């Protein structure tokens, strides 16, 4: 699937499920890592993570498009478009848009940092670095060291 096919699919889903037209651009963004898609508030464009299509197929992309179109139409109508808003939750339920997409990487694949307690040897795996001055072992309270 390329950007033109994605644009057509978004326009089709907007008409079929929302009875409204999608007037902006939809395209794949390879830089998206932790999210399936993104609605841009200022430009009103929709970006989709191409990994979702590669790993899970067109059905996953359709679900992501529905989710992003919920943000799109509610924002343009001046209603609650955030995940926490009642309007958003109701519209997602109405059109069958999922709340979350499937992750492209597991936690273990995303881990970048390995820490070990100096006293008891407990291992800790983290995606982001932690402050070794502040962080202590959860079991014995001793200092950690990075491996």
């Amino acid at each position: 699937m390329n950007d033109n096919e994605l644009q057509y699919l978004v326009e089709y889903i907007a008409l079929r499920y929302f009875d409204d037209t999608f007037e902006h651009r939809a395209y794949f963004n390879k830089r998206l890592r932790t999210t399936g898609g993104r609605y841009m508030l200022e430009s009103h464009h929709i970006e989709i993570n191409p990994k979702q299509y590669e790993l899970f197929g067109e059905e996953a992309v359709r679900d992501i498009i529905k989710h992003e179109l919920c943000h799109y139409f509610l924002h343009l109508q001046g209603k609650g478009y955030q995940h926490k808003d009642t309007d958003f939750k109701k519209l997602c339920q109405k059109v069958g848009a999922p709340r979350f997409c499937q992750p492209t990487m597991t936690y273990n694949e995303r881990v970048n940092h390995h820490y070990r307690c100096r006293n008891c040897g407990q291992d800790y795996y983290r995606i982001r670095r932690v402050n070794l001055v502040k962080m202590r072992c959860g079991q014995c309270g001793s200092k950690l060291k990075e491996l």
Side-chain angles (χ1 to χ4, degrees), residues 33-37 49 51-53 55-57 59-61 63-64 98-106:
R33 295 227 184 264
T34 60
T35 184
N49 186 342
K51 282 242 180 194
Q52 288 288 328
Y53 180 71
L55 295 175
F56 307 114
E59 194 58 39
V61 172
D63 288 342
I64 294 167
R99 190 97 189 260
F100 302 103
C101 65
Q102 295 179 359
T104 57
M105 294 173 63
T106 65

Side-chain angles (χ1 to χ4, degrees), residues 39-41 66-93 97-100:
Y39 165 62
M40 309 298 283
L41 290 173
K66 287 182 199 173
H67 178 97
E68 299 308 326
L69 284 174
C70 288
H71 289 297
Y72 173 80
F73 287 118
L74 289 171
H75 181 249
L76 292 180
Q77 294 169 5
K79 296 181 180 177
Y81 61 88
Q82 296 179 339
H83 290 118
K84 64 182 178 181
D85 295 324
T86 307
D87 292 331
F88 180 79
K89 291 176 183 176
K90 285 181 182 176
L91 185 57
C92 279
Q93 193 170 23
R99 190 97 189 260
F100 302 103

Side-chain angles (χ1 to χ4, degrees), residues 114-125 132 135-147:
H114 180 199
Y115 302 95
R116 182 170 288 147
C117 175
R118 293 177 186 252
N119 186 32
C120 69
Q122 174 70 33
D123 287 322
Y124 296 94
Y125 299 94
L132 294 176
M135 294 296 288
R136 298 292 180 132
C137 176
Q139 296 205 344
C140 70
S142 296
K143 290 186 176 186
L144 302 175
K145 64 180 176 182
E146 186 166 13
L147 301 176

Side-chain angles (χ1 to χ4, degrees), residues 24-42:
H24 295 86
R25 283 189 51 223
Y27 51 91
F28 287 110
N29 183 349
K30 293 178 183 175
R31 290 172 290 151
L32 295 179
R33 295 227 184 264
T34 60
T35 184
R38 175 167 67 179
Y39 165 62
M40 309 298 283
L41 290 173
E42 291 186 18

